[in-house]
Amino acid sequence: MSDQPDPKRRVSLQILGATLGASAFAYAMEPLRAWSKDLTMEQFLQKHYKEMSKDELAKVLQRVERDTKESYGATVTVKDPKPLPGVEFGYALNLSVCIGCRKCAEACHVENNHDRRTNNSYIRVLEMDQGTFDLERGTAQYAHAVPAPGKYYLPVQCHQCDNAPCVKVCPVQATWKESDGIVVVDYDWCIGCRYCEAACPYHARRFNWTKPEIPAEQITTEQGYLSNRIRPQGVVEKCTFCLHRTREGRQPACLEACPTGARVFGNLLDPASEIRWVLENKRVYVLKEELGTRPRFFYFFDE
Amino acid sequence: MNATSHVVTYPRFLWQAVTRAFEGRPLFYAWMTFLTAVALVGANAWAHQLAQGMQLTAMTDHVSWGLYIANFTFGVGLAAGAVMMVIPAYLYDDHEMHDVVLVGELLAVAAIVVCILFIVVDMGRPDRFWHIIPGIGRFNWPISMLTWDVLVLNGYLVLNLHICGYLLYMKFLDRKPDKRWYIPFVFLSIFWAISIHSVTAFLYGGLGGRPFWNSALLAPRFIATAFITGPAFVILLLQLVRRFTSFHVGDGPIRTLTSVMRVTVLLNLFMLGSELFTALYTGGAHSTAVKYLFFGSHGQNALVPWIWTAVAFNLTSALLLHLPATRRSLGLLDLACLLSIVGVWIEKGMGLIIPGFVPSTLHEIVEYVPTMTEWKITAGIWAGGFLVLTIALKIALPVLTGEASLANEKRGEG
């Protein structure tokens, strides 16, 4: 511009400014070095779960095992059990016998390798006033002997909706419903936008606000790629009906831990299953039915 | 026009743009240094957030979106609001507005950049950005509203870049722009502006599990507030342009934009009132978020000071805009603009995003108060937006006045 006296001095000042700016930028971004240390090109380029060939998936499973060994010092087996043909899982919970002990939430915490500091779990148990279904009058923060008089207990976990809002909203198809009805997340594909967390009406999803911390000896070593393997930082996770167990004929960890037998799990397509008997013979209701989510998780009462 | 001429002149145009972006008076350098410093503080905070995880924010599994998405929402409104200059300029042949309309389009560009940055810092895994690129990743279109948002926001950015870039280049060459190359895009951009903010509203409004957002009125409210903040911001910006550059800004555009605001501030208050009536008169579970927002609930009231500030600011600005004295005093008009910008920023930011999560879907009340990390990143992104806007104006205005042109450049060499 015309009102500038000395163009040479000006240029050298500009160069000085640019150099200072660039070094300040480098300094500001320094913390990224620690972050990028954990990232490899192999992981960056990893394909979506559904696009991987058998060999590619096998390599990824090995990579996860190797990473767990490196980061956590634990030797684990990561498998990828597939949905069984002719099976659609359903879960029912007997509100008449649940005593609110939260053993299920604890078992979930251990089985699914949750972060130890936050005491995370996929199950949240609400203490409700007798005589109402109004969630507003329930609380998850209770610390007294259970069952308390005048109260009943409502454990809530992922309802594996048939018409799942979380699946609809995911911008990158990182979460989907499997043929056995279980809604899963590809933890290596999720971009961490948390739109699913906003969309879920049941508070079923959790985000990894930090890298999970678990002592090596406490890690559950039988792991599923789409279920209880230790999740990376910055991605969303959820209950998978313990698919690494249930797809191999075992019961979910929360059911095994329940001291009162309030939980019934099984194949909705099998007319002889206990879950079918419950649905056909008990008074059953689902949470927030009016939203049209069509849950596979049911609550029922004894006569 | 033969091809070689553009091969020569377009790089010269770009070179002019680059050099002009770095040339200026001491005040310009001071302003740019200040913005760069704030942007760097934000960049540093973001680097920490990436390394240590989003535990550095106040967000939780209960309130899983916070200050970033609040600012994103406001930013989309700002970008869409700039169209209030385009409509008079091109649809109603307002010549004075036509002379300054590029300022609005450049504001839209800067605002979209701000929006995209707010989305990036809200992502847990920005390293996986390619998963959302159509054709390369797995783009969940048309089911996910977020994919629509990606399309409309980037489309709007490209549209405005094309319109501004083409018109400026032609002016630089001192050539009459070919209408076929910009008029269709201008009209497309008008519809597009409405679409970006409607889609952003549908993003929240489509969630059945969040009664506070699940309202058909959300998109109209978004558009109304966009047409408050857009004009308000431009009124202030045009005065700054008048003060600090030789670019001519008439009084006409400011008058027109003020008229727009007079309508939209009232429209917004009316719609807010309708929402409040429906929620509070009906009562029950659907009113709990509104009650929490305005009055607090179970002794928790983190949002109460925010929302009443917004209400006070919006009412005051509506009053000011309708005072006869404001027609004569730019000072009062500027005050009204500032108040309405802050008022809307709160109302559709902290006052809209947070109550969607409080109470949570299981009706637990977990409060949210942003951390220093979030404030630093937020300030950094806005500073980045102002950097983009300043540079864009620094390049565009001398071209528009004819100071920067191919002819002048050649004369300088000769």
Side-chain angles (χ1 to χ4, degrees), chain B residues 310-328:
Chain B
V311 169
F313 281 18
N314 286 336
L315 281 174
T316 313
S317 83
L319 195 71
L320 279 175
L321 283 166
H322 287 85
L323 281 185
T326 309
R327 263 176 243 167
R328 293 183 297 272

Side-chain angles (χ1 to χ4, degrees), chain B residues 161-224:
Chain B
L161 280 176
H162 165 71
I163 295 166
C164 297
Y166 176 71
L167 289 178
L168 286 173
Y169 180 49
M170 285 298 123
K171 181 79 185 157
F172 177 76
L173 297 180
D174 204 17
R175 226 181 259 172
K176 199 172 153 45
D178 184 343
K179 287 200 165 170
R180 287 173 305 179
W181 278 104
Y182 74 99
I183 292 290
F185 297 100
V186 168
F187 281 91
L188 185 59
S189 82
I190 293 174
F191 291 102
W192 211 285
I194 308 291
S195 83
I196 60 170
H197 220 22
S198 304
V199 167
T200 306
F202 295 161
L203 200 83
Y204 312 113
L207 304 181
R210 305 273 173 197
F212 185 73
W213 294 339
N214 193 213
S215 156
L217 206 50
L218 207 59
R221 268 181 75 194
F222 272 24
I223 299 291

Side-chain angles (χ1 to χ4, degrees), chain A residues 82-93:
Chain A
K82 303 287 182 194
L84 305 169
V87 173
E88 275 189 37
F89 288 120
Y91 211 150
L93 198 145

Side-chain angles (χ1 to χ4, degrees), chain B residues 272-288:
Chain B
L272 181 69
S274 307
E275 291 258 44
L276 290 182
F277 169 79
T278 312
L280 296 175
Y281 190 83
T282 314
H286 284 224
S287 71
T288 45

Side-chain angles (χ1 to χ4, degrees), chain B residues 56-203:
Chain B
L56 292 186
T57 73
M59 289 184 275
T60 55
D61 286 320
H62 288 89
V63 184
S64 49
W65 282 339
L67 197 57
Y68 304 146
I69 298 298
N71 276 280
F72 160 78
T73 314
F74 175 81
V76 179
L78 198 54
V83 82
M84 271 295 133
M85 297 178 80
V86 180
I87 291 175
Y90 285 96
L91 279 182
Y92 307 149
D93 278 330
D94 178 337
H95 292 290
E96 266 196 301
M97 187 65 92
H98 199 282
D99 292 340
V100 296
V101 68
L102 217 69
V103 173
E105 287 160 341
L106 293 174
L107 170 63
V109 169
I112 293 288
V113 170
V114 165
C115 293
I116 292 173
L117 288 175
F118 273 115
I119 291 295
V120 170
V121 299
D122 191 63
M123 282 167 70
R125 297 303 298 241
D127 53 308
R128 297 180 184 167
F129 70 93
W130 67 272
H131 296 180
I132 201 168
I133 299 174
I136 307 175
R138 277 176 81 95
F139 202 55
N140 192 14
W141 187 84
I143 300 297
S144 169
M145 277 298 120
L146 206 51
T147 58
W148 282 89
D149 227 13
V150 169
L151 291 179
V152 293
L153 287 178
N154 286 295
Y156 194 61
L157 180 64
V158 170
L159 267 180
N160 278 292
L161 280 176
H162 165 71
I163 295 166
C164 297
Y166 176 71
L167 289 178
L168 286 173
Y169 180 49
M170 285 298 123
K171 181 79 185 157
F172 177 76
L173 297 180
D174 204 17
R175 226 181 259 172
K176 199 172 153 45
D178 184 343
K179 287 200 165 170
R180 287 173 305 179
W181 278 104
Y182 74 99
I183 292 290
F185 297 100
V186 168
F187 281 91
L188 185 59
S189 82
I190 293 174
F191 291 102
W192 211 285
I194 308 291
S195 83
I196 60 170
H197 220 22
S198 304
V199 167
T200 306
F202 295 161
L203 200 83

Side-chain angles (χ1 to χ4, degrees), chain B residues 296-307:
Chain B
S297 179
H298 299 92
Q300 307 202 269
N301 47 21
L303 288 181
V304 174
W306 286 89
I307 198 65

